[in-house]
Amino acid sequence: MRWRGFSLGILGLAGAACGDSGGRDDSATGNAQTSSATDPTGSSTLPTTAGSTGSEASTATDSDTASPTTSTSAGPTTTDGTTGADATCVDTPPPGFAGRSDPTCAAAPQVGTFQPILEWNRGTWATAPTSDQVLMSPIVASLDGDDVPDVAFVTYVFGDHYGPGVLRAMSGDGQKEVLNVEGQDVCGHSGLAAGDIDGDGQVELVVVTTGGAVKVFEHDGTPKWTSPTYMLHCSTSPGIADFDGDGSPEVFAGAVILDADGNERGVGPHGNGFRISLAADIDEDGQQELVVGNAAYDGLGGVEWFNMESDGIPGVADFTGDSKPEIVVSAAGTVRLQDNQGVVLWSSMVPGGGGGAPTIADYDGDGEPETGVAGSEFYVVFDTDGSLMWQAPISETESATGSIVYDFEGDGIADVIHADENRVWVFSGVDGAVKLEFAGHGSATQLESPAVADVDGDGQVEIVFGNNQFYDPAAPKGISVIGDEALSWRPGRKIWNQFAYSITNVADDGTIPAMPVHNWTAHNNYRSGDDSPPDGVAAPDVVLEASICQYQCQDTALQLWVNVGNAGASPLTAGATIEVYGNMGGQETLLASQGFFEVVQPGEYATAIGFDVDGAGYDSLVVRAVAGEEECKLDNNAVELSTPFCNPPG
């Protein structure tokens, strides 16, 4: 794994036996922890064979191997005096539970560098080899359910981006072709969305056809359904949302709303969001609206309001500080702010004209949202009140091109990621200073945008973008992924499921929330991949609770369960490597290791991961966590379980 190394210390957490219930005593703090089961944050990992590795084991330093406080594992006792009679722990992970958290937990920002390297590019395929150009926004989601996300995109034959394309997907590490679907009338310029619309535990893929219909594929590329023709523009970017909160998501494209089976729910009569509409509960009534530049529709396409303004590409955030959403619209060389009823609050001209999808974030670290758009001549950022904050020259001829933001350095300042006709840029959110200039790119630039996600599951975000040779026959083709040579970019999610992306619109496993948390209250950004705290200081704190299943316990075949917790002030987003050592006379031997990849919120312990360990001959077992990101504490990442591992009857 590509983790940065961190020094680890030790906490003596009492190891709980499998089947224990009631309060949990944290010996380090004296705070009682109630063992109340919570919904797990993701799928659990069943025990691995002793010595097996779910990810590369990290090498401990001298400080890593300081002796933990010793505790003795005690099993539950039944009414008849026998020990470990609870068989539920066998191959059944102990559930997650609530724990303590420290809102003052802080760490110095994990300062990143900008030394871009091309991690991989793919521009040739045996299937439909002449279809090798990309002029759309790639997405990131797991199509096969493993720990490595997949990058999905549409290719077309040079010069025919409105013609039939090929739906493709590559594993996020660039090693495997996951999908190559041709002959299905996918528009070569179509946007793409991913989400589990039918509740089968797998994402579906949504595209637009050359004839202007919506088409859905199963995760393996099998066609699922095709809607009637709505004359949608070929470059429309579809989306997925649950408009009525009934647990069955809908599919939308422009002003068209369809149910999960492809049946029409409604079509809005006014704008279509310049082909990139979005879903949000802008009136906070518990049901999401379909938002376009000049109107809002209910989940059946009914008009909630229409403001007579020109249509444009929308974005949503709280600009007035009242926890209510406003709507930013980029339209015809202007950017305007509307309230949630469509009343225009301010309007500003884009220097040089043009303007793509608005991207909203705290660009300068002042605690308030700003809006960035890519114009025809400049990338432009407008302050919260609509005044011009900064502009940086870019190379665009016809720009409705999108951008995204990410806090690479962890300093609370959102950096801009934009791909123009021949460069991929990262600009400082403060003043537009160039922080990254990557020349390995080419595009006609219409409605596409990069994506930012941990595409290969290595704990570091990457930038994903498409390439075409419209202007330069020597430019790359296909899809590219760049990362940081110093491996210093902050961790991030493994999903970016649609152009109209906000952090709360999709779960990590691709399921669509029935009623998502309002992104403007949780993160107050739009088209940002950064779910880290906005101050750049709050940090997670990895803690562990370990237990040995006492049912049919044998020293030579121990079933060890480890709950990974977070006692810090911000989510654990980069996971950790969990290592199990056998200690004999002060000498430690690595017995097993596996990666832990779930996001853990402050005050939560995740569902346990399991290890099968041979404990014969060891004085104790030491379980350590090697975190994938900075923590506020370095002295509480381990727990020791001492002999006897199996409690004798009595």
Side-chain angles (χ1 to χ4, degrees):
M1 300 178 69
R2 293 195 331 180
W3 307 116
R4 294 209 307 175
F6 299 109
S7 175
L8 291 179
I10 306 300
L11 168 70
L13 259 176
C18 183
D20 282 357
S21 61
R24 299 171 185 263
D25 177 62
D26 186 334
S27 59
T29 64
N31 294 333
Q33 299 182 28
T34 302
S35 180
S36 57
T38 59
D39 290 335
T41 56
S43 59
S44 59
T45 304
L46 291 179
T48 57
T49 303
S52 68
T53 303
S55 59
E56 291 183 22
S58 300
T59 302
T61 63
D62 290 341
S63 60
D64 295 338
T65 56
S67 299
T69 301
T70 302
S71 60
T72 301
S73 175
T77 302
T78 64
T79 56
D80 62 3
T82 59
T83 303
D86 184 1
T88 60
C89 59
V90 177
D91 295 333
T92 303
F97 55 90
R100 59 185 173 85
S101 64
D102 178 6
T104 66
C105 177
Q110 182 177 325
V111 178
T113 61
F114 288 88
Q115 302 174 38
I117 56 171
L118 180 66
E119 294 196 356
W120 59 269
N121 166 262
R122 187 62 175 266
T124 59
W125 291 271
T127 302
T130 60
S131 184
D132 55 11
Q133 311 282 301
V134 177
L135 186 59
M136 50 79 68
S137 303
I139 62 171
V140 179
S142 177
L143 301 182
D144 50 16
D146 62 15
D147 289 330
V148 178
D150 303 303
V151 179
F153 51 99
V154 178
T155 62
Y156 64 91
V157 176
F158 179 83
D160 192 21
H161 54 273
Y162 291 121
V166 179
L167 173 61
R168 303 191 193 269
M170 295 288 300
S171 62
D173 57 10
Q175 298 300 306
K176 181 175 64 175
E177 294 183 24
V178 178
L179 285 182
N180 290 288
V181 181
E182 59 177 330
Q184 291 295 325
D185 197 32
V186 176
C187 177
H189 195 9
S190 171
L192 188 57
D196 182 3
I197 66 172
D198 58 9
D200 66 351
Q202 302 281 356
V203 301
E204 282 73 43
L205 297 170
V206 186
V207 300
V208 173
T209 68
T210 58
V214 176
K215 189 162 191 170
V216 173
F217 296 87
E218 300 283 4
H219 71 281
D220 61 359
T222 302
K224 187 175 180 68
W225 53 258
T226 304
S227 76
T229 298
Y230 289 99
M231 302 303 293
L232 292 165
H233 193 280
C234 188
S235 63
T236 299
S237 287
I240 305 171
D242 190 344
F243 284 97
D244 53 12
D246 65 352
S248 178
E250 284 75 46
V251 173
F252 62 92
V256 176
I257 305 173
L258 307 168
D259 70 16
D261 296 317
N263 302 306
E264 181 181 309
R265 287 174 57 93
V267 180
H270 301 298
N272 61 25
F274 196 64
R275 312 167 207 162
I276 310 175
S277 53
L278 63 86
D281 181 15
I282 57 172
D283 59 6
E284 300 182 306
D285 66 350
Q287 295 193 344
Q288 297 186 80
E289 284 74 40
L290 181 65
V291 181
V292 299
N294 58 2
Y297 309 123
D298 64 25
L300 297 175
V303 179
E304 294 197 355
W305 54 258
F306 170 55
N307 64 3
M308 304 294 291
E309 298 286 338
S310 59
D311 192 21
I313 308 174
V316 177
D318 173 18
F319 279 77
T320 60
D322 61 357
S323 299
K324 305 293 183 183
E326 283 77 43
I327 303 163
V328 176
V329 180
S330 176
T334 66
V335 173
R336 67 178 185 263
L337 184 69
Q338 304 170 167
D339 69 14
N340 63 357
Q341 295 298 312
V343 176
V344 176
L345 304 179
W346 55 254
S347 181
S348 300
M349 299 294 295
V350 177
T359 297
I360 306 169
D362 184 1
Y363 282 75
D364 57 5
D366 67 352
E368 297 184 344
E370 291 84 33
T371 302
V373 296
S376 297
E377 298 180 20
F378 302 98
Y379 190 89
V380 182
V381 174
F382 296 97
D383 212 338
T384 311
D385 62 0
S387 60
L388 180 64
M389 198 163 80
W390 58 260
Q391 62 189 51
I394 55 177
S395 177
E396 295 281 10
T397 301
E398 172 193 352
S399 177
T401 317
S403 61
I404 55 177
V405 292
Y406 196 79
D407 181 4
F408 288 96
E409 296 174 299
D411 57 5
I413 295 171
D415 298 315
V416 180
I417 309 161
H418 174 64
D420 68 11
E421 293 170 351
N422 48 47
R423 294 285 192 277
V424 176
W425 302 92
V426 173
F427 299 114
S428 166
V430 175
D431 55 10
V434 175
K435 302 178 74 170
L436 179 153
E437 181 180 0
F438 185 81
H441 171 62
S443 181
T445 65
Q446 291 194 22
L447 284 175
E448 82 273 23
S449 174
V452 60
D454 180 3
V455 300
D456 52 10
D458 66 352
Q460 307 285 333
V461 295
E462 287 82 27
I463 301 171
V464 187
F465 54 93
N467 306 283
N468 59 80
Q469 299 169 314
F470 184 85
Y471 289 116
D472 181 4
K477 301 179 291 185
I479 205 79
S480 294
V481 173
I482 59 176
D484 180 50
E485 187 174 18
L487 310 182
S488 68
W489 291 352
R490 283 179 58 83
R493 297 183 79 189
K494 299 177 185 177
I495 191 166
W496 187 287
N497 76 313
Q498 59 193 33
F499 194 110
Y501 171 84
S502 63
I503 295 168
T504 61
N505 80 274
V506 63
D508 290 339
D509 62 0
T511 55
I512 305 300
M515 187 60 249
V517 173
H518 296 145
N519 199 70
W520 53 89
T521 59
H523 303 284
N524 208 25
N525 54 31
Y526 205 80
R527 297 187 178 93
S528 168
D530 196 351
D531 60 359
S532 299
D535 61 6
V537 175
D541 179 23
V542 178
V543 290
L544 302 174
E545 180 156 315
S547 62
I548 294 173
C549 183
Q550 294 297 306
Y551 183 76
Q552 296 181 340
C553 183
Q554 303 176 57
D555 282 358
T556 55
L558 300 175
Q559 189 173 81
L560 173 67
W561 293 106
V562 180
N563 292 94
V564 179
N566 179 8
S570 70
L572 175 69
T573 58
T577 300
I578 309 301
E579 303 170 342
V580 181
Y581 293 86
N583 173 45
M584 183 167 52
Q587 297 296 315
E588 293 187 355
T589 302
L590 180 64
L591 303 180
S593 173
Q594 65 175 288
F596 174 84
F597 301 105
E598 295 181 23
V599 174
V600 184
Q601 299 296 324
E604 290 186 1
Y605 282 75
T607 301
I609 60 174
F611 300 84
D612 285 341
V613 176
D614 184 350
Y618 292 108
D619 302 324
S620 64
L621 297 176
V622 179
V623 185
R624 287 196 175 87
V626 182
E629 58 190 292
E630 297 280 6
E631 299 181 72
C632 64
K633 297 179 182 178
L634 300 176
D635 62 352
N636 58 353
N637 291 63
V639 59
E640 184 171 19
L641 300 174
S642 297
T643 54
F645 302 129
C646 301
N647 295 301

